[in-house]
Amino acid sequence: MTLHTFSLLFYVLAVLCLSVSAANLAWNGHTTPGSDTPSPFRPYYVPPGAKGYDSDSPFVHYSDGWREMHSQAYVGNSLRQTDRAGDYATLSFYGSGIEVFGNCDPYHGIFDVWIDGSLVQKVDAWCNKEYKQQRKYWNFDLQDKKHTVKLVNNPGSTRRRATLDAIVVTRYSDRTRTHSATSAHRSPSPLLLAEAGPTEEWILNQTGTTGVHAMQLAVISPTHALIVDKVEHNPLTINGHPAWAALYNLKTHAVTALSMRSNSFCAGGTFLRNGSMIIVGGNPVVENKTAPSDFGDVDGLQAIRFFHPCDSQSASGCNVYENHARIRMASPRWYTTVVRLSDGSAMMIGGSKKGGWINNATVNNPTVEYFPPKDIKGSNGMPIPLAFLRDTLNSNLFPIAFVLPNGNVFMAANNDTMIYNWKDNSEQRLPSIPNGVRVTYPMAGTALLLPLSPDNEYQPEILICGGSTIDDTKPGYEISSQDAASKQCSRMLLTEAGIAKGWETEDMPDARLMPDAVLLPTGQVVVLNGAGSGTSGYGNVLNQVGASNADNPVLTPVLYTPSAPRGSRFSSAGMPTSKIPRMYHSVATLVPDGRIMIAGSNPNLDRSEKEYGTEYRVEWLSPPYMAKERPQIKDATKQLEFAQERVITVQLPPNAQDVKVVLMDLGYVTHAVHANSRMVYLPASLSADRTELTVTAPPNGMVYPPGPAWLFVVADGVPSIGHSLIIGDGKSPEVDEKALKNVLENTGPDQYEASKSGGEE
Ligand SMILES: *[C@@H]1O[C@H](CO)[C@@H](O)[C@H](O)[C@H]1NC(C)=O
Ligand SMILES: *[C@@H]1O[C@H](CO)[C@@H](O)[C@H](O)[C@H]1NC(C)=O
Ligand SMILES: *[C@@H]1O[C@H](CO)[C@@H](O)[C@H](O)[C@H]1NC(C)=O
Ligand SMILES: *[C@@H]1O[C@H](CO)[C@@H](O)[C@H](O)[C@H]1NC(C)=O
Ligand SMILES: *[C@@H]1O[C@H](CO)[C@@H](O)[C@H](O)[C@H]1NC(C)=O
């Protein structure tokens, strides 16, 4: 074979591999991954790296009363069932996690789970109708060694049925190998440790599991965070199938599954002026071989899903609502960024018209649209083209966007930036990111609008960190998971003088792709998570680790102090190093008590136990202030109108000198984009007896877009616990009925699905 045919063959093979993985990328639960046979989306699943034992495995031992049942609906076509009290089954296994599968129905009673001779849980296998292949018990927290599990049909139960269909053993130990490679990407810079002064201790604590992989994360109440994932085999189930959304209790660590109809794979989100949250866009239904009703999973590309305000401390009655016939976007968007504007409505920016990896001209959706729909210069609700989103192909998905204090929107995509005046649909192009660093998907960096202060008339300053200089016109097979990420942070003051001066750069101690930047109430920024090399996504590049396009996890957070002199803003002093890689699809957010919640990581098509596996464990990073005497907000308003003055009652630490009040939006976090993340200082004066603070609300919705916020009192750098309130009038954003009607009349729901049945792609 000539060299030419060989390289042609290689090319064809590479293209084949790519198209296979591209098709797989959009899997949404209709069939087992890698299979064409439609099957219901059930909880039973053996993740790569785990081991499944069928009920008829010789390693599972039964007492006398069990009967073997046969049906194609059972794992391995067989199931064991007993109606006799005291019957048991045992399995000895090596591993650190176990899952037990069987049926549930109205005849099932309670069974006891014993591990290594101790009763660990009583499981009620009752459910109101029959579901098969259900995960009835799971425990991922065992020590990695030999264990024996014994399942006993509880004699005290009035309902007597017990079934065992299969057992899955998982091995977390494979996933916590030491990541020595990371040090290769560490800067030898001596600055790092010098500046911080006496080392203050940060504590990293791993507690809780999310049950649903945390691809998207947003704090929705004083007690809960919303977690949104894609359709995959999460351990948490709802209505007989795995869940892809949940509420996480920030205090008890309990998780409550939420029912969501459409596939929210790579959606974005924001709160609106009235406190309702919208979760926007996502993934198409790829195959239509079985009825969506089997899965509750419909085309999510144009979806606008509502999560209405829900303060329930038990998460009961909180749910996600969607109805594509009445509420939807005009055009399909996957990887769209959503920001809340100065009028409390939402702007949906860019995205791709269907799933895939890097963007291209065929699938690009280079437009913005609004919810509720707006009529901008005759657009009558329809999407408005933005040249910026065409000019920034290919690495321009999940654009970085922040509302500026004059109401315009800053945007960064690929290696370019601009300011968008949405009212008159005009763009002001800004200098490119220096040194060709690409900062949006799949070369994701992270960004923040730095804290706004009345002391300097709310001058906006943008910080963008990490990303990569990989050539975004290269195909995946010419990119490697080992291609180094960027250390660069770029910062620019968005005033006339600041723009004239341009981007100022500085280096993080570590190169990072897919980092998260989290604002603290102190005005400092914690940069954490991410990888030292590769790109976002999975299944696309050379040298994948498992399926991950990225490698060299960066395990130590770094603190950035914006007000410090350039060159001494970064410090890792006192920072703990995690053992858990947080790669593609990982998230972090500030939570109201002042800690940082860290979750997710899943560079996989479906749940996997192989490196880099699907990560359900949550970590909590406690800044040193958590251990200090905290100021307290004793009483404060639930609503603050713009420019209004209000008195809040506080209890300050005795010798507190420097007392500040800040408003924060904790943002909607996904894919390193912290959309709507924001911090605004409020003018405040302290009463003579130091128990009352008179605070003045932000002047208007451009400084703080109307909607939910968290109020923190910060005394000598130590914040109180956040107090939840609504900024503005709390009313629904204005609806332009004519524009809304025009969108509903002139665009179909689920257009991507419709185009497929019309035979086109
Ligand atoms: C870790 O978190 C758990 C649960 O919140 C708590 O009980 C424990 O005290 C924490 N440990 C440390 C060292 O903070
Ligand atoms: C897709 O599924 C829906 C709902 O089951 C059905 O109405 C529709 O006809 C199907 N389309 C095709 C092309 O099979
Ligand atoms: C554009 O991207 C889509 C989705 O990933 C892919 O199917 C298509 O082949 C790409 N087209 C080109 C010209 O690269
Ligand atoms: C930005 O990226 C484009 C290609 O995507 C490239 O042509 C251009 O030179 C880059 N700009 C800078 C300033 O590096
Ligand atoms: C908030 O406003 C939106 C848009 O008008 C509306 O659809 C939604 O129902 C409102 N939420 C509440 C809780 O009123």
Side-chain angles (χ1 to χ4, degrees):
M1 163 160 75
T2 66
L3 191 58
H4 181 254
T5 24
F6 179 80
S7 53
L8 187 68
L9 184 65
F10 176 78
Y11 177 77
V12 168
L13 281 175
V15 169
L16 273 177
C17 292
L18 281 176
S19 58
V20 167
S21 62
N24 280 347
L25 273 173
W27 177 77
N28 71 350
H30 278 222
T31 57
T32 308
S35 150
D36 285 334
T37 316
S39 62
F41 183 42
R42 288 200 170 125
Y44 176 74
Y45 173 66
V46 185
K51 182 164 172 46
Y53 295 87
D54 187 27
S55 56
D56 67 3
S57 159
F59 297 104
V60 184
H61 300 287
Y62 296 92
S63 59
D64 291 341
W66 296 80
R67 283 172 294 139
E68 182 151 29
M69 323 273 287
H70 297 272
S71 160
Q72 287 191 343
Y74 302 142
V75 176
N77 300 330
S78 70
L79 170 112
R80 295 292 168 107
Q81 175 172 316
T82 177
D83 291 310
R84 203 177 70 171
D87 266 341
Y88 60 86
T90 61
L91 170 73
S92 291
F93 63 94
Y94 287 91
S96 56
I98 184 161
E99 304 173 69
V100 176
F101 294 84
N103 294 353
C104 71
D105 66 25
Y107 307 104
H108 274 72
I110 291 167
F111 68 94
D112 299 338
V113 181
W114 296 73
I115 293 182
D116 304 332
S118 304
L119 176 63
V120 293
Q121 197 167 318
K122 291 179 178 298
V123 176
D124 192 346
W126 178 90
C127 57
N128 61 355
K129 65 181 209 187
E130 188 186 29
Y131 290 115
K132 297 191 176 73
Q133 300 189 20
Q134 297 296 299
R135 182 185 292 95
K136 300 204 285 196
Y137 173 76
W138 56 289
N139 183 342
F140 294 163
D141 279 335
L142 301 174
Q143 278 188 340
D144 188 25
K145 61 180 184 99
K146 187 176 181 190
H147 301 278
T148 300
V149 61
K150 183 176 185 186
L151 309 167
V152 183
N153 197 13
N154 187 303
S157 179
T158 48
R159 288 168 275 114
R160 279 296 164 76
R161 180 149 305 165
T163 49
L164 178 62
D165 197 351
I167 294 177
V168 172
V169 171
T170 60
R171 298 195 56 112
Y172 266 359
S173 58
D174 288 350
R175 301 169 35 187
T176 47
R177 68 169 159 108
T178 44
H179 298 280
S180 51
T182 309
S183 54
H185 292 264
R186 249 202 119 85
S187 159
S189 162
L191 290 176
L192 283 181
L193 301 170
E195 160 270 329
T199 301
E200 300 215 272
E201 214 191 341
W202 294 67
I203 293 171
L204 188 70
N205 183 350
Q206 190 260 301
T207 309
T209 48
T210 53
V212 164
H213 166 260
M215 175 192 288
Q216 299 153 48
L217 179 65
V219 173
I220 55 96
S221 76
T223 51
H224 285 85
L226 173 69
I227 291 174
V228 177
D229 191 24
K230 63 183 187 216
V231 173
E232 64 181 321
H233 284 97
N234 289 311
L236 205 62
T237 60
I238 189 160
N239 304 331
H241 66 74
W244 56 94
L247 288 176
Y248 189 98
N249 189 312
L250 300 169
K251 297 189 169 146
T252 65
H253 305 282
V255 279
T256 307
L258 290 172
S259 174
M260 189 180 275
R261 284 187 68 222
S262 60
N263 197 347
S264 44
F265 189 5
C266 303
T270 184
F271 287 109
L272 300 174
R273 169 162 148 194
N274 58 16
S276 289
M277 168 173 274
I278 54 171
I279 304 155
V280 178
N283 194 89
V285 174
V286 171
E287 299 297 349
N288 197 24
K289 290 169 178 164
T290 43
S293 60
D294 290 351
F295 314 100
D297 170 12
V298 299
D299 186 347
L301 273 167
Q302 282 166 265
I304 296 181
R305 312 165 188 84
F306 267 103
F307 183 83
H308 293 302
C310 196
D311 269 345
S312 159
Q313 296 207 2
S314 63
S316 68
C318 304
N319 51 52
V320 179
Y321 172 81
E322 61 188 303
N323 174 354
H324 300 190
R326 286 184 44 240
I327 304 166
R328 61 169 181 265
M329 287 189 284
S331 61
R333 292 174 198 272
W334 134 304
Y335 296 106
T336 184
T337 299
V338 188
V339 294
R340 183 168 77 257
L341 297 174
S342 51
D343 62 1
S345 69
M347 176 197 264
M348 281 78 81
I349 308 166
S352 142
K353 287 187 275 195
K354 64 176 215 175
W357 177 49
I358 197 162
N359 204 5
N360 62 48
T362 315
V363 295
N364 192 19
N365 184 347
T367 66
V368 294
E369 62 181 288
Y370 300 89
F371 184 79
K374 287 187 196 302
D375 185 7
I376 306 280
K377 298 192 132 185
S379 68
N380 206 8
M382 299 300 281
I384 298 167
L386 238 63
F388 180 73
L389 294 173
R390 261 200 320 269
D391 297 347
T392 51
L393 283 170
N394 292 330
S395 183
N396 70 351
L397 293 171
F398 268 127
I400 288 165
F402 290 99
V403 173
L404 301 176
N406 64 1
N408 292 341
V409 179
F410 168 85
M411 287 187 201
N414 205 340
N415 55 7
D416 275 313
T417 66
M418 72 123 161
I419 293 174
Y420 183 53
N421 179 333
W422 55 270
K423 289 184 179 157
D424 71 7
N425 184 30
S426 63
E427 301 181 8
Q428 176 195 356
R429 298 291 174 105
L430 298 175
S432 297
I433 307 277
N435 305 311
V437 178
R438 305 181 198 285
V439 296
T440 51
Y441 182 93
M443 290 20 150
T446 189
L448 287 175
L449 173 64
L450 292 176
L452 296 171
S453 168
D455 295 346
N456 66 5
E457 274 90 50
Y458 306 103
Q459 286 185 0
E461 195 164 7
I462 296 282
L463 175 74
I464 304 180
C465 293
S468 168
T469 52
I470 292 172
D471 177 355
D472 70 340
T473 58
K474 276 188 185 171
Y477 55 83
E478 286 180 15
I479 296 174
S480 164
S481 70
Q482 305 302 311
D483 292 348
S486 169
K487 283 182 180 170
Q488 179 174 293
C489 287
S490 309
R491 190 167 149 174
M492 187 158 69
L493 189 64
L494 297 181
T495 57
E496 216 172 298
I499 293 167
K501 204 168 152 210
W503 293 100
E504 179 185 78
T505 65
E506 51 201 325
D507 275 355
M508 297 184 282
D510 297 290
R512 282 188 205 248
L513 182 83
M514 312 178 284
D516 283 288
V518 178
L519 264 173
L520 298 179
T522 58
Q524 293 165 298
V525 176
V526 177
V527 180
L528 71 172
N529 293 351
S533 64
T535 78
S536 301
Y538 51 85
N540 311 103
V541 306
L542 295 177
N543 310 313
Q544 292 166 29
V545 182
S548 172
N549 288 351
D551 195 10
N552 296 298
V554 190
L555 300 165
T556 310
V558 61
L559 181 68
Y560 179 83
T561 305
S563 57
R566 184 175 174 206
S568 57
R569 291 176 185 150
F570 287 104
S571 169
S572 290
M575 278 291 182
T577 295
S578 176
K579 289 193 176 65
I580 304 179
R582 301 287 182 179
M583 312 294 281
Y584 185 49
H585 288 156
S586 57
V587 287
T589 183
L590 184 75
V591 296
D593 73 6
R595 291 178 300 168
I596 293 175
M597 177 181 181
I598 306 163
S601 188
N602 188 21
N604 296 286
L605 174 65
D606 196 346
R607 186 179 149 207
S608 173
E609 293 289 328
K610 282 187 165 165
E611 192 79 19
Y612 293 100
T614 309
E615 190 53 68
Y616 293 100
R617 290 174 291 180
V618 183
E619 288 168 295
W620 307 86
L621 182 63
S622 298
Y625 58 62
M626 293 300 293
K628 299 196 172 150
E629 186 179 355
R630 315 268 303 265
Q632 291 174 42
I633 298 177
K634 292 293 196 187
D635 189 29
T637 175
K638 295 301 281 175
Q639 193 184 343
L640 201 51
E641 300 262 7
F642 290 112
Q644 195 179 36
E645 247 183 31
R646 277 296 183 91
V647 173
I648 60 176
T649 314
V650 295
Q651 184 181 316
L652 300 174
N655 300 314
Q657 298 291 312
D658 175 22
V659 180
K660 294 193 168 84
V661 179
V662 298
L663 268 190
M664 293 185 80
D665 188 324
L666 305 181
Y668 188 99
V669 185
T670 187
H671 289 79
V673 172
H674 290 238
N676 304 298
S677 170
R678 199 173 195 85
M679 178 169 150
V680 180
Y681 285 97
L682 302 187
S685 61
L686 189 58
S687 65
D689 68 357
R690 301 169 59 86
T691 62
E692 289 183 346
L693 271 167
T694 305
V695 302
T696 311
N700 55 49
M702 301 187 285
V703 172
Y704 191 99
W710 295 89
L711 183 85
F712 291 87
V713 171
V714 186
D716 293 339
V718 179
S720 65
I721 287 173
H723 167 83
S724 158
L725 76 173
I726 285 271
I727 301 300
D729 60 12
K731 290 190 182 145
S732 296
E734 240 168 74
V735 177
D736 179 333
E737 296 291 350
K738 191 170 141 277
L740 177 63
K741 187 159 170 273
N742 186 52
V743 167
L744 293 181
E745 279 178 4
N746 291 299
T747 69
D750 307 338
Q751 290 158 24
Y752 180 81
E753 275 307 292
S755 75
K756 282 195 312 183
S757 37
E760 9 154 350
E761 263 272 294

